[in-house]
Amino acid sequence: MAVLVAYASALGSTREIAQHIASRIAVEMGKVECRSVEDIGSVSSYEAVVVGSAIHNQAWLPPAAAFLARHAPELAKRPVWAFSVGMSDALPKPFRKRGAAIQQARLTGVLAKDVPLRGHKLFSGVYEAGQMPAPLRVLFRLTGGQFGDLRDWAAVDAWTDEVTAQLANPAPSAPAGSAPA
Ligand SMILES: Cc1cc2nc3c(=O)[nH]c(=O)nc-3n(C[C@H](O)[C@H](O)[C@H](O)COP(=O)(O)O)c2cc1C
């Protein structure tokens, strides 16, 4: 089965998550290509697609949103999973889980308007102090916010394994909207 893992990344952390996902799927499924959304002319040669984007200002990066819109008719004919990479684990601890849940639910709704998704998962990426406007940094730290490489590779692996299991045992038809994976 030919699987595409497509990504949009501004500073590289989403690209590295996509590459990790692609390598892990390849162990079970064989042919997996990992490419920037901007390098993909057509998805018709792939049987399944995983697509992810960094989040900026509560939304996918424009090239990733354009990829979904442009390829929506072809994507709708094959299983599609999505992942988003943000900074919810940088938030002060009391807000992390709730912030992530709200962000994941909101983005799932936005993305599923373009393409039926088998699943959508939110991960944290790399969020360095320099990415936050200077006046906010001190306040953010004082209230328990943190900066750095926040990627939870075990969570990425667990989600990838759920996707791989579904690829290995395809469901009869794609549901409209998103599933838990
Ligand atoms: C300009 C800018 C805006 C951001 N906006 C958000 C946001 O709205 N929500 C969020 O969770 N993370 C936000 N982030 C954090 C990034 O999504 C996070 O750093 C991610 O790892 C970036 O992925 P990349 O390294 O692939 O570009 C923002 C980062 C930058 C630089």
Side-chain angles (χ1 to χ4, degrees):
M1 175 185 278
V3 179
L4 172 66
V5 179
Y7 62 86
S9 179
L11 296 174
S13 65
T14 306
R15 185 189 65 242
E16 289 170 359
I17 290 174
Q19 288 167 340
H20 186 89
I21 289 170
S23 306
R24 197 165 173 95
I25 295 175
V27 172
E28 294 293 327
M29 304 306 296
K31 195 162 179 265
V32 181
E33 284 180 31
C34 183
R35 299 166 65 185
S36 161
V37 290
E38 289 167 291
D39 295 338
I40 299 160
S42 166
V43 298
S44 59
S45 60
Y46 303 102
E47 286 158 79
V49 175
V50 179
V51 54
S53 175
I55 305 166
H56 276 193
N57 305 320
Q58 301 302 321
W60 271 22
L61 296 180
F67 171 87
L68 273 195
R70 189 168 61 247
H71 299 290
E74 281 299 317
L75 289 170
K77 294 180 197 163
R78 39 190 54 74
V80 178
W81 289 266
F83 66 94
S84 302
V85 181
M87 45 74 82
S88 51
D89 285 339
L91 297 174
K93 208 166 181 184
F95 303 109
R96 279 177 209 160
K97 264 193 164 173
R98 179 110 185 93
I102 291 169
Q103 192 172 44
Q104 167 148 340
R106 199 183 51 75
L107 281 170
T108 299
V110 171
L111 300 173
K113 276 186 195 147
D114 271 331
V115 174
L117 297 175
R118 293 291 174 112
H120 167 240
K121 184 73 175 173
L122 175 72
F123 298 115
S124 285
V126 176
Y127 192 59
E128 302 292 0
Q131 291 170 249
M132 179 174 277
L136 294 177
R137 270 177 231 158
V138 176
L139 184 64
F140 187 71
R141 277 208 175 97
L142 281 173
T143 54
Q146 55 177 355
F147 296 105
D149 187 342
L150 306 162
R151 288 173 292 185
D152 179 347
W153 293 108
V156 175
D157 284 350
W159 185 72
T160 305
D161 290 350
E162 285 178 40
V163 171
T164 306
Q166 291 182 48
L167 287 169
N169 300 292
S173 62
S178 68

